[in-house]
Amino acid sequence: MTNLSFKNKIIALIVAIITLTIATSYFSVNHFISRYIQESDSKNITHNVDLIKQKLETELSNKLSLASSLNFSMMDISEAKENSGFAKVVKVVNGYAFDDTGNMSDEDAQVFIDLADAHGEEMVISPVTKSDLGYSMVFSVKRADESVDFFTLELAEFASIITEYAAKGSFAELSAGNVTIFSNKQGDNLTPVERPIEFADQSWQLVGYIDLDNIQSNTDKLNWLITLALLVCAGIIIFVSVILINYSFKPLNRLQDVVADLSQGNGDLTQRLNVERSDEIGVISQSINLFIEKLQHMFVDVSRSAQDIDTAVHNIAEQSASNATTLEQHTLETEQAITAIEELSATASSISDSADTAAKLTESTNQFAEQSKQTVNNAVDSVNALVNQVSAMSQATSTMSEDTKQISSVLQVIGEIAEQTNLLALNAAIEAARAGDQGRGFAVVADEVRALAARTQDSTSQINEMLSKLRATTDNVVSEMEATRESCEQTASNTTQVMDSLNQVTHSVVEMNDLNTLIATSAMQQSQVTGEVSTNMAAIQEIVRLLNSNAGHTNSVCEELRETSVDLSQLVGKFKVQ
């Protein structure tokens, strides 16, 4: 490298800088783009997994709602199956099972009949089981007429939903317990994204897998394209730089020849360069002429100054003796100052440590106060929510009380109707008695109507009594709820006052923390300053010691300086300055 010319060094430097830039760009792009692509793809795939989860939950909820609300007769089983989208629909009525084909075997029918006999009032969802098309599950609903409907849902259609919403470079797996309903997982370099799917009393697991090999492949491809573009740009820049450097160095080569001729002369400082241009090369030539001119004047001054050095050397020798005495006294005073500064530094360090400890304690107190504020905030929110709930319950109870009053009115009307019915039945019995044997059957019916009217009057009386008790109870509940609401509001007011007190405590702790921090900072700065002063004083002491030690050599140095002055005069005499 030392044998290269300055021009070639510049070219080599440009090549090295471009090479380093390309290498740095390659590794930087590989790092940042890889991370960006991974984060972007991971975010996109995670979003798609959430979409798949929402779609599956919506689809299952729709199927549950459809199975619960769908009501059909034995004659409409085939139509219900076609409209609902279930793979199979079975209806069990009075111990008989019917499906959409109408030719269910006795063995298959008995399975559904047994399930219907053991069925409760709530909808039943069977676990996922193996079927001819893959996996399926059965929803069963008991109707008001004691019939039970069974709906078989094939889960193979979920595979198309997962495939439709799955992002490129990802895989998915859907499982229910130990049963894997769908999976297209491939490879091992995968990052899982798990999402639970909850519906009814079932719990499924949806796992999306991010293919890291695919992400790395995309990163390598993009990185190679960027590197190739950088290499092409680097080649163009190097080529243009070589041309421009060769053109720029032509005037410098001519200047080099002129300076070389001047340097091979006999020390004639009256010689000057010819300045023929006003560009940078001309400016350099003019500067060299000025330098030679100043050097010429300098040698003249040196020749004159050499004569004055001899006189100054004698004066320096006398002054050095006086300085030696002063330096010894200064050394003693410096040692005393260093001792005092070290004591001051120790005191400042102790103050700084105490202030740091106080700052940590106030910081802990501030954190506890903030936690208390958060707890009180939560309590305020809870009390306000309780107030709203109590108000809502009070309103609902008042509404229920009004409804009981309306029911009492309706029961009064029913009682009046029963009384009229009793009178009509009595008149009918009288007319039937007048009719003799021909009205005997009509008399029996009239007696039954009178008995039914009497029972109706008794029932309405009992219901009125129960409604009176219920209305009294609801009035008491409304009063208690109003008292509870007022108590909750008072509690919310008290917690607000506690919050104000905590805010004042927090503000005071923050001010204490700021004061402690200021004290610690000041003490630390004082300790640093005293340390620096101590170091400087020690350095001064060392300098004084060296000056004191060197003072003894001043006389010999002055003698050597006198001899050097003579040599300097002889050297200046070799140059032509006039």
Side-chain angles (χ1 to χ4, degrees):
M1 188 69 178
T2 56
N3 297 326
L4 293 176
S5 64
F6 182 69
K7 177 178 67 176
N8 292 332
K9 289 180 180 179
I10 292 178
I11 296 175
L13 180 61
I14 293 174
V15 173
I17 292 174
I18 293 176
T19 303
L20 180 61
T21 302
I22 292 175
T24 304
S25 300
Y26 176 82
F27 291 108
S28 298
V29 168
N30 186 46
H31 174 71
F32 290 107
I33 288 183
S34 175
R35 185 172 63 181
Y36 172 76
I37 292 177
Q38 183 173 359
E39 291 177 355
S40 178
D41 289 355
S42 299
K43 183 178 181 181
N44 185 34
I45 292 172
T46 302
H47 176 68
N48 287 356
V49 170
D50 292 334
L51 288 179
I52 293 174
K53 173 191 173 183
Q54 295 176 2
K55 183 65 177 177
L56 293 178
E57 289 180 342
T58 301
E59 189 68 21
L60 289 170
S61 299
N62 291 338
K63 291 297 184 181
L64 287 174
S65 299
L66 182 60
S68 177
S69 61
L70 192 62
N71 194 6
F72 55 91
S73 63
M74 292 182 297
M75 305 302 296
D76 301 328
I77 295 177
S78 177
E79 182 180 355
K81 171 188 173 183
E82 181 179 354
N83 294 333
S84 62
F86 287 101
K88 185 176 182 180
V89 178
V90 177
K91 190 176 187 67
V92 177
V93 181
N94 297 328
Y96 294 96
F98 305 93
D99 63 357
D100 58 300
T101 61
N103 55 358
M104 181 184 295
S105 64
D106 294 339
E107 182 179 358
D108 294 340
Q110 189 60 42
V111 173
F112 289 101
I113 293 172
D114 294 339
L115 292 175
D117 292 339
H119 202 287
E121 297 297 330
E122 301 293 333
M123 175 185 286
V124 178
I125 303 175
S126 70
V128 177
T129 57
K130 186 72 175 177
S131 65
D132 296 338
L133 299 178
Y135 293 95
S136 63
M137 58 191 306
V138 178
F139 304 153
S140 58
V141 182
K142 190 172 185 179
R143 305 301 182 184
D145 58 356
E146 299 301 323
S147 63
V148 180
D149 297 334
F150 295 87
F151 302 91
T152 301
L153 177 64
E154 290 291 345
L155 304 181
E157 62 181 83
F158 291 164
S160 60
I161 295 175
I162 297 175
T163 304
E164 178 183 355
Y165 284 89
K168 183 180 179 181
S170 66
F171 306 103
E173 184 176 85
L174 179 63
S175 59
N178 296 326
V179 178
T180 301
I181 301 172
F182 172 82
S183 177
N184 61 352
K185 176 182 176 183
Q186 298 178 4
D188 297 325
N189 192 14
L190 305 172
T191 299
V193 178
E194 299 182 356
R195 294 292 185 272
I197 298 178
E198 304 288 344
F199 69 98
D201 58 349
Q202 300 286 323
S203 179
W204 290 6
Q205 189 72 15
L206 175 64
V207 183
Y209 294 95
I210 302 172
D211 190 356
L212 300 180
D213 292 334
N214 182 69
I215 293 176
Q216 186 61 42
S217 175
N218 294 335
T219 303
D220 294 340
K221 185 183 298 182
L222 181 59
N223 196 17
W224 166 247
L225 293 176
I226 294 175
T227 303
L228 183 61
L230 290 175
L231 289 174
V232 173
C233 293
I236 295 173
I237 292 173
I238 293 173
F239 178 75
V240 174
S241 298
V242 170
I243 295 176
L244 293 177
I245 290 174
N246 287 329
Y247 177 77
S248 300
F249 265 78
K250 288 181 180 180
L252 292 178
N253 291 333
R254 293 193 296 269
L255 181 59
Q256 180 183 0
D257 296 337
V258 174
V259 174
D261 293 339
L262 180 62
S263 64
Q264 294 175 1
N266 55 1
D268 187 3
L269 297 180
T270 60
Q271 183 181 0
R272 298 292 185 269
L273 297 175
N274 294 325
V275 179
E276 298 178 350
R277 52 196 302 172
S278 59
D279 56 2
E280 289 80 2
I281 304 301
V283 173
I284 293 175
S285 300
Q286 183 66 31
S287 299
I288 292 175
N289 287 335
L290 293 175
F291 170 74
I292 295 173
E293 182 179 358
K294 290 182 179 180
L295 188 61
Q296 179 184 5
H297 293 301
M298 186 184 300
F299 272 91
V300 173
D301 295 336
V302 169
S303 178
R304 294 174 181 174
S305 299
Q307 299 174 359
D308 299 331
I309 291 177
D310 293 336
T311 303
V313 167
H314 178 71
N315 296 330
I316 292 175
E318 294 179 352
Q319 185 67 33
S320 62
S322 176
N323 290 339
T325 303
T326 305
L327 289 173
E328 290 179 357
Q329 183 180 0
H330 184 67
T331 300
L332 296 175
E333 294 177 354
T334 303
E335 291 177 351
Q336 295 176 357
I338 290 174
T339 302
I341 290 172
E342 289 178 350
E343 293 178 354
L344 180 61
S345 177
T347 303
S349 298
S350 177
I351 294 174
S352 178
D353 294 339
S354 299
D356 288 337
T357 303
K360 292 178 181 178
L361 292 175
T362 54
E363 182 65 22
S364 301
T365 304
N366 190 21
Q367 292 178 358
F368 292 145
E370 290 293 337
Q371 293 176 0
S372 300
K373 287 170 61 179
Q374 184 63 36
T375 303
V376 172
N377 275 330
N378 294 335
V380 172
D381 295 338
S382 300
V383 170
N384 289 332
L386 180 61
V387 170
N388 294 332
Q389 291 177 358
V390 169
S391 298
M393 292 177 61
S394 176
Q395 183 177 0
T397 307
S398 299
T399 303
M400 185 175 67
S401 177
E402 294 297 328
D403 292 340
T404 54
K405 293 179 180 179
Q406 295 180 2
I407 293 173
S408 298
S409 300
V410 173
L411 289 174
Q412 183 177 359
V413 173
I414 293 174
E416 293 176 356
I417 293 173
E419 184 177 357
Q420 293 294 327
T421 303
N422 190 14
L423 293 176
L424 292 175
L426 180 61
N427 292 331
I430 295 173
E431 293 297 329
R434 291 177 180 178
D437 293 337
Q438 294 179 354
R440 184 175 301 170
F442 187 71
V444 173
V445 173
D447 291 338
E448 290 296 331
V449 171
R450 289 178 60 197
L452 180 59
R455 288 171 59 190
T456 300
Q457 288 179 338
D458 294 338
S459 297
T460 52
S461 298
Q462 294 176 2
I463 292 173
N464 276 325
E465 293 176 358
M466 295 173 65
L467 287 176
S468 297
K469 294 179 180 180
L470 178 60
R471 188 162 51 250
T473 302
T474 53
D475 291 339
N476 293 331
V477 170
V478 170
S479 299
E480 293 296 330
M481 286 184 177
E482 183 64 24
T484 301
R485 185 181 62 80
E486 293 177 355
S487 176
C488 291
E489 290 177 350
Q490 183 63 34
T491 302
S493 177
N494 293 335
T495 52
T496 303
Q497 295 177 359
V498 172
M499 176 60 68
D500 294 337
S501 299
L502 287 175
N503 287 332
Q504 294 177 358
V505 171
T506 303
H507 181 69
S508 299
V509 169
V510 170
E511 291 181 352
M512 292 173 61
N513 193 16
D514 292 339
L515 292 175
N516 287 328
T517 303
L518 181 59
I519 294 172
T521 303
S522 300
M524 185 178 297
Q525 291 176 353
Q526 183 179 359
S527 178
Q528 292 175 352
V529 171
T530 53
E532 293 176 357
V533 172
S534 178
T535 302
N536 293 334
M537 291 299 293
I540 291 173
Q541 185 182 19
E542 181 65 20
I543 293 172
V544 170
R545 187 186 65 80
L546 292 176
L547 290 174
N548 194 19
S549 175
N550 293 333
H553 303 288
T554 303
N555 292 327
S556 59
V557 172
C558 289
E559 184 63 27
E560 292 176 359
L561 183 60
R562 185 181 295 110
E563 295 176 357
T564 303
S565 176
V566 174
D567 295 336
L568 180 61
S569 298
Q570 293 176 357
L571 179 62
V572 172
K574 295 180 181 180
F575 289 90
K576 182 181 178 181
V577 295
Q578 293 179 352

